């Protein structure tokens, strides 16, 4: 079996995921996991698929032919779970230009790998401004000092609330 990571993007409309799923099924692909999102009228995401080596090229060709969808696929080696600890970092504060760059810069200073990252802004009716919220899952070495990370993140702004918890 060959492992493929498939990324998709297209103008959002009903049936995009179904078209992808039908194509994968037709080529005897086994859908392992996925993540999709709708943003600014576009639909995007990625899927990990296991497919027999003899079906790989036909699947990639069929994926490329899906109408109204930009598709890319990359063959990857089977993933190996590492023994690193995973932490979930929740951040909330007033929105400002550069906040994501500041957060990721701190994570990079600690040499941490971001496994997932999701963010959005929402209205804060009582304040008349936007609130930024982000959630990241990060891989950290064993015996990592998460208090030092929390202090560094909270130092970015006096209104930033940071919650760090172990991920199971």
């Amino acid at each position: 079996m060959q492992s493929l990571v498939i990324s998709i993007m297209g103008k959002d409309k009903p049936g995009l995921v179904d078209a992808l799923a039908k194509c994968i099924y037709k080529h005897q692909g086994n859908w392992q996991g996925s993540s999709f999102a709708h943003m600014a009228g576009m639909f995007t995401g990625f899927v990990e698929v296991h497919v027999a080596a003899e079906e790989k090229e036909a699947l990639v060709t069929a994926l490329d032919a899906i109408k109204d969808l930009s598709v890319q696929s990359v063959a990857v080696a089977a993933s190996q779970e590492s023994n690193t600890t995973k932490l979930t970092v929740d951040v909330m504060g007033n929105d400002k230009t550069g906040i994501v760059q500041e957060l990721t810069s701190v994570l990079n200073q600690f040499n941490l790998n971001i496994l997932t990252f999701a963010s959005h802004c929402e209205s804060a009716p009582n304040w008349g401004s936007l609130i930024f919220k982000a959630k990241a899952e990060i891989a950290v070495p064993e015996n990592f000092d998460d208090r030092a990370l929390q202090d560094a993140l909270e130092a970015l702004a006096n209104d930033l609330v940071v919650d760090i918890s172990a991920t199971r």
Side-chain angles (χ1 to χ4, degrees), residues 18-56:
D18 185 48
L20 184 65
K22 284 178 179 171
C23 185
I24 292 167
Y25 177 75
K26 180 179 178 185
H27 293 87
Q28 292 87 45
N30 187 6
W31 190 296
Q32 296 295 296
S34 59
S35 180
F36 298 108
H38 174 268
M39 193 169 290
M42 298 298 286
F43 184 77
T44 188
F46 54 92
V47 180
E48 179 184 1
V49 174
H50 290 177
V51 65
E54 60 272 9
E55 285 288 333
K56 179 187 165 237

Side-chain angles (χ1 to χ4, degrees), residues 139-159:
V140 298
E142 198 172 321
N143 301 321
F144 178 75
D145 182 4
D146 57 323
R147 186 69 207 156
L149 175 61
Q150 183 158 353
D151 290 345
L153 290 169
E154 288 177 342
L156 293 173
N158 61 2
D159 68 333

Side-chain angles (χ1 to χ4, degrees), residues 5-115:
V5 173
I6 302 161
S7 67
I8 67 164
M9 180 179 274
K11 185 166 174 32
D12 194 25
K13 67 179 184 179
L16 293 178
V17 175
D18 185 48
L20 184 65
K22 284 178 179 171
C23 185
I24 292 167
Y25 177 75
K26 180 179 178 185
H27 293 87
Q28 292 87 45
N30 187 6
W31 190 296
Q32 296 295 296
S34 59
S35 180
F36 298 108
H38 174 268
M39 193 169 290
M42 298 298 286
F43 184 77
T44 188
F46 54 92
V47 180
E48 179 184 1
V49 174
H50 290 177
V51 65
E54 60 272 9
E55 285 288 333
K56 179 187 165 237
E57 289 306 316
L59 173 58
V60 169
T61 300
L63 289 169
D64 287 338
I66 296 175
K67 187 178 181 201
D68 300 326
L69 207 54
S70 171
V71 180
Q72 292 184 324
S73 61
V74 177
V76 294
S79 64
Q80 300 288 328
E81 287 295 318
S82 65
N83 291 331
T84 58
T85 303
K86 295 177 185 171
L87 298 178
T88 298
V89 179
D90 288 291
V91 177
M92 181 177 71
N94 287 323
D95 185 41
K96 64 177 184 173
T97 301
I99 192 167
V100 172
Q101 182 276 319
E102 291 174 353
L103 293 171
T104 57
S105 180
V106 169
L107 295 175
N108 189 41
Q109 289 169 13
F110 282 85
N111 197 33
L112 300 175
N113 189 24
I114 299 171
L115 303 173

